[in-house]
Amino acid sequence: MSTHVRHPIWLPALRPADARTFASLYAVESFARATISSVIPIQAYEILHNERIVSILYTIVSLMGLSVTLFMPMLIRRFARRWVYTAGCVLLAIGSAFFVTHTLPGQIAGMLCRVMGASALSITLNLYIMDHIRKTDFMQAESLRMAWSMFAWTGGPTLGIFLYTHFGIYAAHGAVVVFAFALLCLFWFYRLSDNQSIRPGKSRPANPLANIGRFVKQPRLRLAWLIAFGRSCFWTTFFVYGPLFMVITGEGKLAGGLLVSAGNALLFVAIFWGRAGKRFGGRRVMTFAYFAMAAMLFAAGGIGEAAPLLTAALLLCGALFTIALDALGSTAFMRSVRSYEKAQMAAVYRTYLDFSELTPPLVCSVVLTFFGLGSVFVTLGMLAAFCGFVTWRYLPKAF
């Protein structure tokens, strides 16, 4: 009897991780990030009083966050994924503590913590997904994950603006701390295991520059990165310049929050885009989505400040097609990456998000020097058209 151990009854009853497991984790994480997605650019504008300087601020923060992303495989190898994921939750909460100072140093520190936390959560979650979801189910799992996050990205931005304007800065950023803590509790409840095969062998380079070289040498991974980069650039522009556009044109802060929430409310169609990808092929659907997105952006840029509400409606149409890329785009990477280098390649792949947060503000800070705010959307439309052509030309027809 001395060797008999009684285990709690609920431990073996926990279901194995599946698509709903990761959809729920991503949904709570989305609440933690979406709640202040519209507050951050407005808060930065209140501090700096210039949309061009706001763009420069985003550029600086993205450059600083990029190095963290590239070194993430080393952190995972040293501390294990579960602790890196935990650190990501904590960083989101710490970032909110910096934001409430409402100073430029606090704004920079808060944005950097937010970028670092999002990087840790994104990379580790993708590794868990590739461990527990079969390749043939990636498209369905990703579309479900996007659909579940709809609730966060729909209500979160408006909730954040409402709390910020009616109850103050502590209420808006305090909500992030609550969601980050809930995410941490949910993650440890699921008890996701670290697959030892995910760790690189001794012969595999751990140096970030070597990982970049291995990534660039693989055409399918390069293509997957470009697909993700293009659609992420839309969301960066939408989240940053959408609220700014509403404020600058006189529609108000709440209109900016409602615009972002309305765009995110369309995430429920991710399930239908997933079905369309399975029915017509991912290559056709993603190519169509990119060209349709480009058309909406060209129209929005052409109208610009002359009719702000019509411009906002066109941006929402662009968001509808971008969601197709959210639902299908990441499967190009998950189906192409080799199993023995998932951690290294996932970190390099994740740089699409850092570059998409870096490139639009950097480019737009130059464009806004010579043209009006509508030029931002025209520039983004040109990138979407290019990504659509490359996707059609080089993504395998069997995809």
Side-chain angles (χ1 to χ4, degrees):
M1 294 297 293
S2 61
T3 60
H4 178 69
V5 179
R6 293 187 62 188
H7 297 281
I9 296 176
W10 60 272
L11 283 177
L14 192 64
R15 295 178 55 184
D18 56 13
R20 286 174 292 182
T21 301
F22 303 111
S24 62
L25 284 171
Y26 188 69
V28 179
E29 176 197 336
S30 297
F31 267 111
R33 294 191 293 115
T35 304
I36 56 171
S37 61
S38 297
V39 174
I40 292 175
I42 292 175
Q43 188 173 330
Y45 185 73
E46 290 176 348
I47 295 173
L48 299 170
H49 306 289
N50 186 293
E51 62 269 24
R52 183 173 177 270
I53 302 179
V54 171
S55 296
I56 296 174
L57 173 61
Y58 271 86
T59 301
I60 294 173
V61 172
S62 297
L63 281 173
M64 297 171 67
L66 177 61
S67 60
V68 176
T69 298
L70 292 176
F71 280 94
M72 198 62 64
M74 299 178 66
L75 296 177
I76 293 174
R77 184 174 185 175
R78 174 65 180 83
F79 298 105
R81 273 180 281 164
R82 59 182 177 273
W83 296 115
V84 175
Y85 192 96
T86 299
C89 298
V90 174
L91 281 170
L92 292 183
I94 293 176
S96 293
F98 283 115
F99 279 125
V100 296
T101 63
H102 203 64
T103 61
L104 181 57
Q107 186 77 10
I108 295 174
M111 293 173 69
L112 182 59
C113 285
R114 178 179 165 87
V115 169
M116 293 167 58
S119 175
L121 293 172
S122 174
I123 292 174
T124 50
L125 187 64
N126 278 333
L127 293 177
Y128 281 124
I129 289 174
M130 287 187 284
D131 275 358
H132 293 86
I133 304 296
R134 295 180 301 179
K135 286 189 176 183
T136 54
D137 296 331
F138 280 156
M139 195 173 294
Q140 180 181 359
E142 285 299 286
S143 61
L144 181 66
R145 185 159 68 105
M146 292 298 109
W148 279 37
S149 68
M150 172 200 70
F151 300 101
W153 291 107
T154 300
T158 301
L159 173 63
I161 291 293
F162 176 79
L163 293 174
Y164 186 64
T165 56
H166 289 79
F167 299 98
I169 193 172
Y170 286 94
H173 292 287
V176 176
V177 177
V178 173
F179 287 124
F181 179 74
L183 175 62
L184 185 60
C185 293
L186 184 63
F187 171 74
W188 281 100
F189 171 76
Y190 284 142
R191 301 189 313 281
L192 297 174
S193 60
D194 283 16
N195 185 348
Q196 296 301 316
S197 66
I198 199 75
R199 299 191 177 193
K202 294 183 179 179
S203 62
R204 297 299 172 186
N207 186 292
L209 295 179
N211 293 337
I212 294 174
R214 290 187 58 79
F215 189 98
V216 171
K217 290 179 181 178
Q218 302 179 57
R220 292 283 294 275
L221 294 185
R222 295 199 307 266
L223 178 58
W225 189 94
L226 180 64
I227 292 172
F229 172 76
R231 53 100 169 172
S232 189
C233 280
F234 175 90
W235 289 121
T236 298
T237 305
F238 187 76
F239 288 150
V240 175
Y241 294 97
L244 283 179
F245 182 80
M246 292 290 101
V247 172
I248 292 173
T249 55
E251 299 298 327
K253 298 177 182 177
L254 184 59
L258 290 173
L259 173 63
V260 174
S261 292
N264 292 320
L266 298 173
L267 282 170
F268 77 92
V269 302
I271 293 179
F272 301 101
W273 282 120
R275 293 175 181 174
K278 192 173 183 179
R279 171 67 177 83
F280 300 105
R283 174 174 172 266
R284 291 182 178 179
V285 173
M286 285 191 284
T287 300
F288 167 76
Y290 259 129
F291 284 125
M293 182 209 307
M296 296 300 104
L297 288 169
F298 286 141
I303 295 173
E305 301 176 26
L309 295 181
L310 180 56
T311 301
L314 290 168
L315 291 177
L316 289 177
C317 291
L320 177 66
F321 297 110
T322 307
I323 292 168
L325 300 164
D326 288 333
L328 306 176
S330 59
T331 60
F333 168 76
M334 293 181 177
R335 289 182 177 180
S336 303
V337 66
R338 298 185 177 98
S339 60
Y340 60 82
E341 55 182 5
K342 288 180 181 178
Q344 303 99 308
M345 297 303 100
V348 180
Y349 173 72
R350 170 56 173 69
T351 60
Y352 81 81
L353 191 54
D354 297 290
F355 276 101
S356 68
E357 292 177 350
L358 165 67
T359 306
L362 179 61
V363 174
C364 292
S365 63
V366 177
V367 172
L368 289 172
T369 304
F370 304 98
F371 304 101
L373 193 55
S375 62
V376 169
F377 307 127
V378 174
T379 304
L380 181 61
M382 295 172 64
L383 173 63
F386 172 76
C387 292
F389 170 77
V390 174
T391 300
W392 175 258
R393 177 67 179 82
Y394 295 105
L395 194 66
K397 295 181 179 180
F399 180 78

